[in-house]
Amino acid sequence: MFYKSFAAGGLDFYSTIKYADGKLEVVNKQLSICGDHPSWLEFVGNHIYCLDEAETSISTSSLYNLQVTRDGTNLTLINKLDTLKGPVSSVRYGQNLKGLAIAAYAGGGFQSIDISNPAAPKLLQNSTFTISPKPGAKDQQQTSHPHAVVLDPVGNFIAVPDLGADLIRILKVDKNTLRYVEYSTVPTPDLSGPRHGAFAKLDSGTYFYVVTELSNQIIGWKVIYNGNRLDFDEKFIIPTHGLGTTVSGLAVKASELIISPDNKFLLVSSRFDETLDISNPEDNNATELIKSDPIFNYAIQADGTLRLQQVFAAGGINPRQISFSKDGSLVVSALQASGRVALIKRDVQTGNLTKVIGAVHLGGMPTFAKLKE
């Protein structure tokens, strides 16, 4: 954000963590600066747009527009916008990235915002989706639940995994006006619950990957551009834990899926596995081991398929969200159940995660962490 640092949000708080000389230090923690339940952060110059999922609210949620000092030690609320209920993900789009798209999980919808003036974001459009629950549907699939917004590499389409509907909703956007239209839907298997996704651009073409929360799978499609059309050709479905594996335990649920900056590796985090034993990353002097959930590290093959290369510790329990540094040398992990944020070192040549550098305890169930460089 300012030196190398990263921001984290969780239950009723926002924090800035400084990373320098191999050490982590919390330099700011402000309560209630982004409502009751911050879920996602978007950096726009010296502004941070913080989504408040507002789980305690009845009907509305908010986007908080925060201005941050250069050293990250203080945030000031500039204004806020009402949003559809339960925003959980955002992405910038359009010419000069002057648009912001939002997935509203609890509200079953999608919104677009004009951020050409970062100090005064303006609501543009919103859509809500209705579904008919499938036989055997769990509570999460009684209504539409968009869980992520993902911009395609060309910038003309936004993919919206809808956990409730077993669909990827494709929206076509106008880069200049920032307006969008509902373009198409891509089905996923019944009761799979698509959660998060990412595009990868390879020599053999463009691919889209989604992780499913309810069935613990990774689905891969080849994306075909044909003039103004965008088509998806399904290539594979594999378990999140690798070919030939079975995910055990009802509590185990896939969470995040991200692609490395060089488009060569795919990481998936899994929650409540508790299958790995690690040294406590918050205490270098600790002798007792603690439990950690895994991150599955896949090498993306030339044809877009995946090969499991590594299973590495996320640094604690419930890695709800993970993200890369710009150069791919670091991965930050928001560990909701452990109340901590961990920083992981990565070898950009081999793609391997190599060491949990350290962690800070924040409490309050951190749900999101992102490097600002």
Side-chain angles (χ1 to χ4, degrees):
M1 192 180 293
F2 321 103
Y3 13 69
K4 182 162 283 190
S5 66
F6 52 98
L11 186 61
D12 197 36
F13 77 89
Y14 166 93
S15 285
T16 303
I17 301 106
K18 177 182 177 181
Y19 172 56
D21 302 323
K23 298 179 181 179
L24 302 175
E25 176 189 2
V26 179
V27 296
N28 176 39
K29 185 174 182 180
Q30 290 177 245
L31 302 179
S32 303
I33 191 70
C34 181
D36 296 329
H37 202 286
S39 58
W40 195 271
L41 305 173
E42 200 73 50
F43 303 131
V44 184
N46 64 342
H47 292 259
I48 294 176
Y49 294 146
C50 180
L51 299 180
D52 174 23
E53 195 170 358
E55 292 188 343
T56 59
S57 171
I58 296 174
S59 59
T60 63
S61 298
S62 298
L63 178 149
Y64 285 75
N65 180 13
L66 309 173
Q67 193 163 29
V68 60
T69 55
R70 183 169 177 78
D71 62 2
T73 57
N74 189 64
L75 279 78
T76 302
L77 176 63
I78 304 301
N79 47 50
K80 68 175 184 176
L81 288 179
D82 287 342
T83 67
L84 294 173
K85 174 74 173 169
V88 291
S89 174
S90 67
V91 69
R92 296 177 68 180
Y93 72 98
Q95 187 176 10
N96 300 320
L97 299 179
K98 63 183 180 181
L100 187 73
I102 296 175
Y105 180 86
F110 174 92
Q111 287 185 289
S112 61
I113 294 173
D114 182 345
I115 59 170
S116 53
N117 177 0
K122 297 183 297 184
L123 179 64
L124 287 175
Q125 290 175 267
N126 65 65
S127 300
T128 55
F129 310 114
T130 58
I131 65 170
S132 297
K134 299 173 182 176
K138 298 181 180 179
D139 290 345
Q140 302 100 308
Q141 295 197 302
Q142 297 303 307
T143 60
S144 170
H145 285 309
H147 211 304
V149 279
V150 190
L151 184 66
D152 84 300
V154 178
N156 290 334
F157 298 90
I158 294 175
V160 185
D162 188 332
L163 190 150
D166 291 327
L167 292 173
I168 314 300
R169 300 185 185 275
I170 307 300
L171 306 177
K172 189 173 183 179
V173 298
D174 185 306
K175 293 181 181 179
N176 295 311
T177 67
L178 305 179
R179 308 289 293 183
Y180 69 84
V181 294
E182 297 175 33
Y183 176 75
S184 66
T185 57
V186 181
T188 64
D190 287 354
L191 312 182
S192 58
R195 179 181 172 91
H196 284 187
F199 288 92
K201 195 171 183 180
L202 311 181
D203 289 342
S204 60
T206 299
Y207 296 84
F208 185 64
Y209 304 93
V210 157
V211 65
T212 62
E213 177 176 321
L214 302 182
S215 62
N216 287 298
Q217 294 173 316
I218 304 170
I219 308 174
W221 294 265
K222 186 168 186 178
V223 179
I224 303 166
Y225 292 91
N226 184 6
N228 291 323
R229 289 183 54 82
L230 186 69
D231 297 314
F232 287 72
D233 180 16
E234 185 181 301
K235 291 299 182 184
F236 66 85
I237 301 178
I238 61 173
T240 52
H241 293 39
L243 284 171
T245 64
T246 301
V247 179
S248 60
L250 294 177
V252 176
K253 295 187 184 301
S255 184
E256 185 64 279
L257 182 152
I258 57 175
I259 302 290
S260 62
D262 61 7
N263 284 260
K264 293 182 179 179
F265 294 88
L266 179 152
L267 302 186
V268 166
S269 63
S270 185
R271 296 172 288 173
F272 301 109
D273 283 62
E274 302 187 26
T275 50
L276 302 176
D277 295 306
I278 62 170
S279 299
N280 189 338
E282 296 177 28
D283 184 358
N284 292 331
N285 298 317
T287 57
E288 293 186 5
L289 299 178
I290 64 170
K291 288 294 183 181
S292 175
D293 289 334
I295 294 173
F296 296 93
N297 184 4
Y298 284 90
I300 302 176
Q301 306 301 289
D303 62 356
T305 57
L306 302 177
R307 175 181 60 81
L308 182 60
Q309 176 163 307
Q310 182 189 31
V311 181
F312 196 83
I317 306 303
N318 192 0
R320 178 185 171 96
Q321 188 266 344
I322 57 176
S323 59
F324 281 107
S325 61
K326 288 182 179 178
D327 65 1
S329 66
L330 297 170
V331 172
V332 59
S333 173
L335 298 147
Q336 192 169 10
S338 296
R340 77 170 61 101
V341 171
L343 193 62
I344 302 168
K345 190 174 182 180
R346 177 175 178 269
D347 186 321
V348 296
Q349 299 301 318
T350 66
N352 282 337
L353 304 174
T354 59
K355 179 183 179 181
V356 180
I357 297 171
V360 291
H361 189 82
L362 299 173
M365 301 191 298
T367 57
F368 184 91
K370 185 177 182 179
L371 285 144
K372 180 80 163 64
E373 303 166 87

